[in-house]
Amino acid sequence: MGIIESSHLSYDYVKLNEEGNAEGVTRAVDDVSLSVEPGQFIAILGHNGSGKSTLARHINALLVPTEGSIFVDGKDTAKEENVWDVRQSAGMVFQNPDNQIIGQVVEEDVGFGPENMGVPTKEIWERVEESLRAVGMYAYRKHSPNKLSGGQKQRVSIAGVLAMHPKCIVLDEPTAMLDPDGRKSVIRAARALNDVERVTVILITHYMEEVIYADRVFVMDKGRIVMQGTPREVFSHVEQLKALRLDVPQVTLLAYALQKSGLPLPDGILTAEELELELKKLRDRKNAAGGAAGAKEAGADGWNVGEEEPDAVDGGTA
Amino acid sequence: MALKLEHVTYIYGADTQLPVRALDDICLEIPDGQFIGLIGHTGSGKSTLVQHLNGLIRPSQGRITWNGRDIWEAGFPKKELRSSVGLVFQYPEHQLFEADVFSDVCFGPNNLGLPREEVQKRARRALELVGIPEALYGQSPFELSGGQKRRAAIAGVLAMEPKILVLDEPTAGLDPKGRDEILGQIAGLKKETGISVVLVSHSMEDVANYVERIVVMSQGHILFDGEPRQVFRHKRELEEVGLAVPQVTDILHRLSAAGFAVDTDATTVPEARDTILKALGGKWDGPAAGRGAMGEKEKC
């Protein structure tokens, strides 16, 4: 059984009028069944209002399903007596770094979680140290959180969750308010947790570049999961993503534009390195084909160039 | 109606043990009808600079002029400046407060002491410019979607009919489509009304597609000031100060280093596609001619 198992999970936001009677119902999550294996790095994409955050809030029992169920580490979140266990298994980091730091000193803030769990003092300090080291913030342990940058604050927040030794950590748009440097440092910390500590990471984001390292990507729309797969599989569907108000990384978009113009590139190129490599291959094959012996080799590789939009290439080559 | 900063320096805590020089000798002119991207990482001084533009803070040294007049001289009409230079802060939707969208947008021009018809005319026009349909005018601003809220908040500033509109990270937290919509609307707005727009951002990709001029700040200085393609040529220097050039520019630099004859000045996906095709294309004719579709294309 996976660490997170949801089956036919639905959630309704109910709008109440002044008398407290239900006025309208909005279904934010609609019949979602998913399973996450321990140690996976999962990304959830979706436009504003697609239901990603509502789904995420089910993972640590901030919300419980209106219909269906969700089990975290084998425990049903809908059962009152499981709530504390669930919150210990699945920690959550939110978007705004300023809303989730309470300590006066970094190490105090990180120690807050384990202290509340009744961890012995000595062990709290051990956990604080190891968590701060894991996110690269140990040097700042005596600093005031107020004076940290946004990216640093987010890493402290992650350390705070980590000190509770969760099996799974949910990051709800942790980088939305950060600059490129801060974004990189937070994503790096999240990846390290996953790689080194084998913590299951669930990353919710709008930034397509941040999901390319994920093991699995879920795309949500109108509360449903509408696409899922590896980043490469998902990002191969450029048009479909655009229809869902999403984007693909600029590199992927460029590779797609080149493909449409007739270049025989593979689907779902995700990084600049990959594109460079593929273009070099093309050039080499081309050059080889220019030589007498090369033609056969290149032909055998089968460059079946896409027939669509043959005109597109003219603009570029004419 | 140009706004001009001459040798502006600003020091936080000047009379303390730890003065911080947030702006250092900034010279900048914002002429009429220009779309400017102001870029810098956190702490580079962008926000401090922006607050100087409508006199929210006073420079420690140097002067700021609006139409040639020092905005800090005695008797300068500050109120007029504040309505001429409209600031839209980060997450402007947090500043929505009225009972309905229309009243919220009316708040600014109302405070200018304009007659009621004029106020309503302006509010209508501002809401139209940001694409909020009339059906939403009577709704509570808190019931709008994230993108709508933000646009309503921008309309509140637009209703003041500023000559210069300054937006601090207007796309933060929006989904990609929302980003495109807001930026597209701002570009359209600039075209339609002829106002100047200053877009503060950390995202080069966002900015590259829309602005005519990019001002890059680092440690209180202006590092670069020019057309996007000129600025992006300084890939290494930009990376040193924690900024990244658009991914396409990065790829073109890589390809160029690998010996492809690409034009590294391209800043958008279509431009990059064209230059890559061209670089490959030159070599693709001839030998490829016999080989199906690509060969045929190459002959054109």
Side-chain angles (χ1 to χ4, degrees):
Chain A
M1 191 168 180
I3 180 137
I4 298 164
E5 293 279 347
S6 82
S7 105
H8 305 288
L9 188 159
S10 297
Y11 185 81
D12 294 335
Y13 283 107
V14 180
K15 191 170 144 186
L16 300 177
N17 63 11
E18 279 164 18
E19 284 86 49
N21 302 317
E23 212 176 41
V25 175
T26 313
R27 178 143 288 202
V29 175
D30 191 6
D31 194 24
V32 167
S33 299
L34 59 80
S35 163
V36 175
E37 295 303 316
Q40 276 192 320
F41 192 120
I42 302 290
I44 303 181
L45 289 174
H47 58 83
N48 293 121
S50 60
K52 351 180 252 310
S53 294
T54 306
L55 177 62
R57 278 167 170 67
H58 282 84
I59 298 172
N60 75 344
L62 285 175
L63 297 175
V64 292
T66 310
E67 283 165 32
S69 65
I70 180 163
F71 285 78
V72 174
D73 199 21
K75 297 214 157 67
D76 186 349
T77 64
K79 292 207 174 104
E80 191 73 37
E81 66 268 24
N82 286 339
V83 165
W84 292 106
D85 289 338
V86 166
R87 295 219 174 123
Q88 211 165 306
S89 314
M92 188 132 175
V93 175
F94 298 93
Q95 188 183 99
N96 191 339
D98 294 314
N99 288 353
Q100 43 193 331
I101 292 190
I102 37 135
Q104 304 291 310
V105 182
V106 166
E107 57 184 6
E108 233 173 68
D109 187 79
V110 176
F112 181 80
E115 194 181 353
N116 267 359
M117 285 159 53
V119 173
T121 313
K122 187 165 162 284
E123 199 192 328
I124 293 179
W125 289 111
E126 285 164 13
R127 287 189 181 198
V128 167
E129 179 179 341
E130 98 199 357
S131 310
L132 282 170
R133 283 192 196 282
V135 298
M137 288 298 292
Y138 186 64
Y140 293 87
R141 67 192 178 282
K142 302 281 184 202
H143 285 231
S144 157
N146 296 323
K147 299 227 164 144
L148 301 178
S149 75
Q152 289 171 332
K153 281 183 200 165
Q154 282 300 56
R155 282 187 282 154
V156 170
S157 305
I158 294 174
V161 171
L162 203 57
M164 296 170 72
H165 287 182
K167 294 191 174 143
C168 161
I169 176 165
V170 182
L171 304 155
D172 189 359
E173 294 193 45
T175 60
M177 300 176 82
L178 307 182
D179 68 8
D181 262 0
R183 271 167 58 192
K184 261 187 230 155
S185 74
V186 169
I187 295 302
R188 214 178 290 134
R191 287 181 62 202
L193 287 189
N194 182 252
D195 275 354
V196 183
E197 320 271 333
R198 304 311 300 165
V199 177
T200 308
V201 173
I202 294 162
L203 173 68
I204 297 173
T205 184
H206 283 152
Y207 290 102
M208 306 299 143
E209 312 88 78
E210 291 176 358
V211 313
I212 60 178
Y213 305 104
D215 296 314
R216 202 160 180 76
V217 180
F218 293 98
V219 181
M220 290 191 70
D221 181 45
K222 299 195 184 97
R224 291 171 168 269
I225 290 180
V226 289
M227 287 168 83
Q228 56 177 301
T230 62
R232 200 177 298 279
E233 286 162 7
V234 168
F235 287 138
S236 305
H237 304 284
V238 175
E239 300 298 338
Q240 212 180 327
L241 284 169
K242 291 211 154 178
L244 293 170
R245 298 178 59 95
L246 293 172
D247 220 339
V248 293
Q250 245 191 349
V251 184
T252 312
L253 200 61
L254 176 58
Y256 178 71
L258 287 167
Q259 217 182 14
K260 261 174 91 177
S261 304
L263 288 194
L265 292 168
D267 279 346
I269 286 183
L270 298 174
T271 64
E273 288 84 355
E274 268 179 83
L275 181 59
E276 184 187 343
L277 197 76
E278 291 297 336
L279 287 172
K280 274 186 185 160
K281 269 196 225 161
L282 276 187
R283 180 178 62 178
D284 294 347
R285 273 199 230 163
K286 185 80 200 180
N287 289 345
K296 193 177 138 228
E297 183 200 329
D301 265 15
W303 327 358
N304 46 349
V305 174
E307 298 277 348
E308 75 277 356
E309 291 189 67
D311 294 342
V313 80
D314 294 345
T317 51
Chain B
M1 297 292 265
L3 186 70
K4 213 168 162 185
L5 280 72
E6 298 166 26
H7 303 285
V8 167
T9 294
Y10 186 77
I11 301 169
Y12 282 106
D15 48 358
T16 66
Q17 293 288 313
L18 293 163
V20 177
R21 197 171 272 255
L23 293 181
D24 194 3
D25 200 29
I26 298 280
C27 295
L28 182 72
E29 189 176 341
I30 300 171
D32 271 345
Q34 205 172 42
F35 200 161
I36 303 173
L38 178 62
I39 305 215
H41 66 98
T42 315
S44 62
K46 302 186 300 269
S47 300
T48 308
L49 178 65
V50 161
Q51 291 176 64
H52 277 84
L53 298 181
N54 71 349
L56 283 179
I57 50 182
R58 182 176 193 155
S60 307
Q61 287 153 37
R63 58 186 220 134
I64 299 166
T65 62
W66 172 245
N67 301 327
R69 225 177 131 192
D70 190 332
I71 67 165
W72 287 99
E73 74 184 19
F76 183 88
K78 271 284 171 46
K79 201 165 175 182
E80 198 183 292
L81 177 73
R82 299 244 160 92
S83 66
S84 302
V85 180
L87 289 197
V88 178
F89 292 104
Q90 255 183 55
Y91 294 87
E93 61 274 23
H94 295 172
Q95 297 168 36
L96 295 168
F97 68 100
E98 273 280 10
D100 62 81
V101 172
F102 195 73
S103 323
D104 201 282
V105 177
C106 286
F107 179 78
N110 244 336
N111 267 1
L112 292 179
L114 297 167
R116 204 167 145 218
E117 300 78 61
E118 173 67 14
V119 169
Q120 295 195 345
K121 208 177 93 197
R122 284 185 174 202
R124 247 167 232 290
R125 188 169 145 70
L127 283 162
E128 244 165 59
L129 281 169
V130 298
I132 299 266
E134 201 159 346
L136 296 178
Y137 287 9
Q139 275 212 24
S140 161
F142 305 103
E143 286 174 357
L144 304 180
S145 78
Q148 286 170 337
K149 270 191 211 167
R150 186 154 309 169
R151 282 182 286 157
I154 294 174
V157 175
L158 277 178
M160 310 277 284
E161 299 197 343
K163 303 280 187 304
I164 300 178
L165 179 67
V166 185
L167 301 124
D168 194 354
E169 291 277 349
T171 61
L174 296 183
D175 62 38
K177 185 84 180 299
R179 269 177 237 172
D180 286 349
E181 279 172 6
I182 288 246
L183 291 173
Q185 240 145 18
I186 293 166
L189 180 90
K190 193 233 134 199
K191 222 178 189 174
E192 214 166 296
T193 56
I195 61 174
S196 287
V197 177
V198 179
L199 187 66
V200 181
S201 177
H202 345 271
S203 165
M204 292 284 195
E205 272 147 41
D206 277 359
V207 163
N209 288 325
Y210 295 98
V211 303
E212 313 158 47
R213 172 180 167 200
I214 290 183
V215 177
V216 179
M217 291 197 64
S218 171
Q219 299 181 332
H221 294 275
I222 290 180
L223 198 61
F224 300 111
D225 181 352
E227 277 178 50
R229 57 188 65 246
Q230 288 169 348
V231 170
F232 295 148
R233 276 180 205 150
H234 304 277
K235 174 167 146 39
R236 193 167 330 135
E237 291 96 322
L238 288 170
E239 280 166 359
E240 272 166 19
V241 299
L243 295 171
V245 296
Q247 267 192 332
V248 290
T249 312
D250 180 49
I251 292 164
L252 293 173
H253 277 274
R254 279 165 181 280
L255 291 177
S256 168
F260 286 87
V262 290
D263 171 18
T264 52
D265 275 358
T267 55
T268 61
V269 170
E271 283 171 17
R273 177 198 62 203
D274 291 347
T275 179
I276 291 175
L277 287 174
K278 207 166 159 191
L280 278 172
K283 300 193 190 73
W284 281 70
D285 53 24
R291 218 177 300 115
M294 181 52 97
E296 277 171 37
K297 278 176 213 162
E298 289 299 313
K299 275 186 279 180
C300 301

